[in-house]
Amino acid sequence: MRCLLSAYLLPLILHACTGADWCYQTQVSCDSHCKGPEKWREVNADCGKDRQSPINIVTKQTKLDERLTPFRFTGYQTVFDGTLKNNGHSVQVSIPVPATISGGNLAEPYKAVQFHLHWGISSGPGSEHTIDGEQYPMELHIVHMKQKYIRIEDALKDPSGVAVLGFFYEVSSTTNRKYDLFAHALRSVQNTNGNTTLRKISLNQLILPEVNMTNYYRYDGSLTTPGCTEAVVWTVFEKPIPLDSEQLQAFSSLKFRDGKPMVGTFRPVQPRNGRVVYRSSGGTLLVSVFLLMASISTAFTITRLN
Ligand SMILES: *[C@@H]1O[C@H](CO)[C@@H](O)[C@H](O)[C@H]1NC(C)=O
Ligand SMILES: *[C@@H]1O[C@H](CO)[C@@H](O)[C@H](O)[C@H]1NC(C)=O
Ligand SMILES: [Zn+2]
């Protein structure tokens, strides 16, 4: 057995041989015994429940909800030094300063805890949520929990204890200068457990001014990695953040625990199971209806002129 190669490697290999670890589909192979997304329910039964994330958002079936007003952000402009860490599944930054979101039909304020990303191979499909079947190259998750909780474990026991803001990325021909330091810092965390300090970043810098914060989708779901806890109020913003292909590529140079390229770090979309996806009144559909009406009335005007 390969697993008995040497005493030095034994602890490391035993770990891999137990097969209890979860992994993404790109990590599943004949000689890795990790459990890919199809088997996550064996890692945690919650992964097989019925309000799982991510989902495909069918815009035609979304329901307009006037209560989905713009968010109120506090601390999103605060500049901080954050620790960027390769945790073996993604890169993550803990947020060391007070930052909150409220409004947007959230029952109470939520505080920001950490952010991380999900991506594909280079600038290929890599987001977790999809819109009308379209998968964007990458997705940012800013994870918040209700302000009254101190530990994330407590928030995860509350069906709406966690609020995640999801932002898509799109390939752009121009470099997004606000991501220069971030993309550069990735070089220092190529290996699992590697960490480095991201200097002078703010949450606003990641998402503004690219995203129109008034246009978003809302539904009840789960964490997208095991335990898959069904405690998440999801907000997915419609407008993607532009990055050039080199900036996107930088994420593919990170490595999983086994040294293979960290790519395809997304969970496939899960059944909606009758859940309703709501859209804010700033949404595109409303704009389309307005444009349609405008063109109809223009057509009428033209007809009458003739
Ligand atoms: C970062 O890495 C150093 C070792 O290089 C380690 O001592 C430290 O605990 C790590 N910090 C985090 C937050 O993982
Ligand atoms: C955001 O979208 C809304 C509705 O589509 C629009 O009225 C508003 O002007 C937009 N804001 C920005 C900053 O683009
Ligand atoms: Zn995530």
Side-chain angles (χ1 to χ4, degrees), residues 65-72 102-105 213-214 216 280-281:
D65 188 343
E66 300 285 357
R67 293 168 304 174
L68 297 180
T69 51
F71 285 93
R72 283 188 300 279
S102 57
N105 202 28
M213 304 302 288
T214 60
Y216 60 86
S280 63
S281 49

Side-chain angles (χ1 to χ4, degrees), residues 212 214-215 282-283 287:
N212 186 328
T214 60
N215 299 1
V287 177

